[in-house]
Amino acid sequence: MSRPVLAAVFLALASGSPALAADGAQLFNMQCRMCHTGGPMGPSLVGVAGGPIAAKTFAYSPGLKAKGGTWTDANLDAYLKQPAAFSPGTKMLINVPSAEVRAALIEYLKTLK
Ligand code: HEC
């Protein structure tokens, strides 16, 4: 790929182009993966979709730890939309305003097994 083509791809991603917004893997790599390696920055997300909330080896915030329940699609959607509303005091501070992007990310999370 030539340099101008690469630059165009990055620009399209940065501007949230709808054509690319549906690619959950790409979105995850750009917005989530840097924290969610299972290291001190964030818990591993392998098996998180459909699994128990705050159950990995990680120093979770007390609120998320006490939340209980399962990461259903609806819970994931609510958390990604506004983490601090779903779980006050959460350590995850980024939110994903676009419903389309959240849906793509949730579909991608289901592939992490
Ligand atoms: C700046 C770091 C950071 C980024 C970027 C980030 N997260 Fe998180 N995430 C965290 C932390 C820290 C927690 C634990 C929150 C807590 O303990 O309250 C978390 C928790 C979660 C959980 C719950 C995990 C569990 O074990 O119950 C999910 C799901 C999640 N993040 C998804 C995402 C997705 C999807 C993205 C990309 C849009 C993302 N995160 C981006 C830091 C991050």
Side-chain angles (χ1 to χ4, degrees), residues 71-87 95 102 106:
W71 283 121
T72 59
D73 287 10
N75 280 340
L76 283 170
D77 189 66
Y79 187 59
L80 292 177
K81 186 175 182 185
Q82 232 182 325
F86 181 85
S87 179
N95 52 36
R102 292 196 304 275
I106 291 167

Side-chain angles (χ1 to χ4, degrees), residues 28 31-32 34-36 41-45 48 52-56 58-61 64 71 76 79-80 87 89-92 94 96 105 109:
F28 185 85
Q31 299 183 20
C32 319
M34 65 283 219
C35 286
H36 284 289
M41 293 290 287
S44 159
L45 296 180
V48 79
I53 293 175
K56 306 279 183 183
F58 183 74
Y60 290 101
S61 61
L64 196 64
W71 283 121
L76 283 170
Y79 187 59
L80 292 177
S87 179
T90 183
K91 292 181 179 178
M92 185 160 118
I94 74 141
V96 183
L105 284 168
L109 288 177

